[in-house]
Amino acid sequence: MSLRDALRIPAAEITDESVYRERRRLLAALSVAPAMALSGCGQAEPPPPPKVALTPAQARSGFRTDETLTRFEDVTTYNNFYEFGTGKADPSKAKRTLRTSPWTVAIGGHCAKPGKVSMEDLLKGFKPEERVYRLRCVEGWSMVIPWLGVPLADVLKRFEPTSQAKYVAFTTIADPKQTPGVAWPSLDWPYREGLRIDEAMHPLTLLATGLYGKPLLQQNGAPLRLVVPWKYGFKSIKSIVAIDFVETMPETAWHQAQPSEYGFFSNVNPTVDHPRWSQKTERRISGTASKLFAERIPTRMFNGYADQVAGLYKGLDLKKWF
Ligand code: MTE
């Protein structure tokens, strides 16, 4: 319609702006409704987290386990890192295309000190410590890994998140030259993950720089990855290039790929099955050269870290917010 025609429209036929806006709002709400039904989320945001107080001793009791370690060889050859292929052996066989130095991380969103920081500045003054954590993959296998890293909380506090920072969103590098797997639509790149701010600030949450006393190899997420031991392994995002403080629950790569199978929280929970398989048991990657998987063992609530983290989810329906 030309402007001249538009000007000829009788006033009574022009939609009042407030009516128009309400119509737009309803249409927008309807268009997201199917996605919400798929994800099983009856509402857009879960209730706010409860205030929990964890004693340093309680926190520390989760920092180590004396369970048998998974062999270095298995930790570095049996991997999930779709940016280097979807097979377990692909990431370790891939060419070393990731340039891990220099490495910068963009910090943004609701914080007083946003900006791009080098890996060195990000970690300045911190001494990486060893944490021996279980890692339970959503696929039903698990490992025990001696990580090196710094508590994520200590790093995040440097940027002074504001009270609007309710969640933290993380992004992996997606550069077809450095991470060639992003040329295939196996996921909607870049790989993204997120944590509620209290989960990000929890003493168990580690920003890992190494394992077995050495810097991370490319296949394990060099030079910087997350390790969140009470959640399924896919929350432990690798090769992080951006961290954003956000007000609403951020979208994540796996939730976007299949919302009915991968919820935002993804806490290890043997009482909530994956729609296509049980989560009641797991098989350790066992540490013998002749046999990759050990016998099945029961999976524990919050991957055995309930003493440290159950308080974070007090009052939250974990079947709904899986
Ligand atoms: N991070 C990125 N960027 N891309 C991935 O494909 N895979 C996740 C997680 N982090 C993944 C990722 C999954 S499914 C798991 S189980 C762990 O990394 C595996 O970590 P590992 O290979 O070091 O054992």
Side-chain angles (χ1 to χ4, degrees):
M1 185 190 294
S2 71
L3 180 63
R4 197 186 298 157
D5 290 338
L7 289 172
R8 280 196 207 113
I9 297 174
E13 283 181 25
I14 298 173
T15 312
D16 179 75
E17 188 182 316
S18 62
V19 175
Y20 164 82
R21 284 192 187 283
E22 180 58 13
R23 205 182 285 160
R24 292 282 296 230
R25 196 187 63 76
L26 276 173
L27 282 172
L30 280 175
S31 70
V32 299
M36 281 175 56
L38 252 182
S39 69
C41 303
Q43 59 196 79
E45 295 284 331
K51 298 259 174 292
V52 285
L54 188 71
T55 66
Q58 268 175 316
R60 270 197 306 275
S61 66
F63 290 176
R64 300 198 76 84
T65 165
D66 52 14
E67 288 153 284
T68 310
L69 298 180
T70 302
R71 296 184 315 163
F72 177 79
E73 197 189 322
D74 292 329
V75 177
T76 54
T77 56
Y78 191 88
N79 299 103
N80 274 335
F81 198 175
Y82 280 24
E83 286 85 338
F84 293 99
T86 54
K88 295 285 178 273
D90 293 346
S92 58
K93 288 189 180 147
K95 288 205 186 98
R96 309 280 110 174
T97 46
L98 196 62
R99 277 195 314 275
T100 55
S101 177
W103 189 267
T104 53
V105 182
I107 312 284
H110 297 291
C111 62
K113 297 183 169 164
K116 273 198 151 194
V117 282
S118 67
M119 164 110 170
E120 292 71 30
D121 283 346
L122 191 73
L123 301 174
K124 205 176 203 158
F126 297 127
K127 198 176 167 298
E129 52 190 274
E130 192 177 73
R131 301 275 183 89
V132 183
Y133 284 159
R134 293 177 285 277
L135 179 115
R136 165 64 155 84
C137 182
V138 73
E139 296 164 331
W141 50 264
S142 57
M143 299 193 190
V144 182
I145 304 174
W147 299 102
L148 277 180
V150 300
L152 179 67
D154 293 348
V155 175
L156 295 185
K157 280 176 196 158
R158 289 200 157 160
F159 302 96
E160 300 177 16
T162 69
S163 59
Q164 278 166 290
K166 305 263 190 322
Y167 294 87
V168 189
F170 303 86
T171 311
T172 295
I173 185 172
D175 169 1
K177 289 206 178 74
Q178 297 191 61
T179 51
V182 302
W184 282 270
S186 45
L187 286 170
D188 187 18
W189 310 109
Y191 195 100
R192 283 148 299 138
E193 257 311 333
L195 295 172
R196 210 171 57 185
I197 190 84
D198 58 332
E199 299 176 322
M201 294 295 185
H202 193 280
L204 284 184
T205 306
L206 200 67
L207 195 56
T209 55
L211 56 83
Y212 269 101
K214 298 178 209 176
L216 286 174
L217 295 176
Q218 176 173 287
Q219 59 265 40
N220 294 105
L224 205 60
R225 69 173 287 173
L226 219 57
V227 184
V228 196
W230 71 96
K231 292 179 180 281
Y232 291 114
F234 64 87
K235 297 295 283 184
S236 294
I237 182 172
K238 297 177 168 179
S239 306
I240 297 167
V241 288
I243 301 179
D244 287 279
F245 296 99
V246 295
E247 193 160 14
T248 54
M249 187 183 273
E251 182 56 291
T252 67
W254 281 103
H255 178 263
Q256 187 170 23
Q258 195 44 272
S260 61
E261 300 191 352
Y262 307 103
F264 175 81
F265 286 97
S266 293
N267 292 315
V268 174
N269 188 341
T271 70
V272 175
D273 288 338
H274 185 281
R276 289 183 282 137
W277 58 82
S278 162
Q279 292 291 24
K280 288 189 176 59
T281 62
E282 68 200 56
R283 299 175 80 186
R284 276 287 147 79
I285 299 215
S286 65
T288 59
S290 58
K291 203 164 160 239
L292 185 61
F293 293 105
E295 299 310 312
R296 290 201 164 275
I297 51 171
T299 287
R300 291 196 277 159
M301 190 64 203
F302 298 115
N303 202 22
Y305 299 96
D307 286 350
Q308 290 81 21
V309 303
L312 300 180
Y313 308 103
K314 225 171 125 201
L316 194 72
D317 179 349
L318 296 176
K319 289 205 159 57
K320 181 175 172 186
W321 298 104
F322 58 91

